[in-house]
Amino acid sequence: MFTLPASVRVVLATEPVDMRKSIDGLMALVRTAWGEDVYSGHLFAFVSRRGDRIKVLTWSRGGFVLLYKRLEEGRFRLPRVDAEAKAVTLDATQLAMLLDGIDVAEVKRQPAWAPPGRTGS
């Protein structure tokens, strides 16, 4: 289970990615396709064409960390995204559910409570 601060974003690629790509290849995608800073500490997730493998790239204290998970059965259940979107932002809970095989698109959340006079996020 991941415990991430709310300030850490999880960015998921909407298009399948060649799982032969190494850290450098994934870094290039993050920089060129998304215009993101790979050294930000955010997590960047990539799913294979068959949908049974996922890589998560992040920068941590002087080096890159690459998490790789391969499902023995089934596929990762990705959230619904706009057709023209190159990436979608998830939170830590959604990433944990995705990695655990839960269909993120089918999960219903209660609206977040906000103090009176303030807008929720």
Side-chain angles (χ1 to χ4, degrees), residues 5-46:
S7 60
V8 174
R9 292 176 36 236
V10 179
V11 183
L12 173 67
T14 58
E15 294 293 322
V17 172
D18 184 350
M19 287 290 113
R20 294 175 293 181
K21 287 190 183 298
S22 65
I23 290 172
D24 294 326
L26 296 174
M27 281 175 49
L29 283 175
V30 170
R31 284 181 173 159
T32 58
W34 304 343
E36 293 277 349
D37 177 13
V38 293
Y39 301 103
S40 64
H42 298 313
L43 281 71
F44 304 98
F46 309 90

Side-chain angles (χ1 to χ4, degrees), residues 92-115:
T93 303
Q94 290 170 315
L95 176 63
M97 289 188 297
L98 176 69
L99 292 173
D100 206 28
I102 297 170
D103 189 347
V104 178
E106 295 297 320
V107 174
K108 304 286 189 247
R109 283 190 169 172
Q110 293 289 349
W113 181 85

Side-chain angles (χ1 to χ4, degrees), residues 71-89:
L71 295 177
E72 295 301 320
E73 288 186 16
R75 294 191 167 119
F76 290 105
R77 305 293 180 191
L78 303 179
R80 293 183 190 101
V81 296
D82 294 331
E84 65 275 352
K86 293 184 182 196
V88 62
T89 302

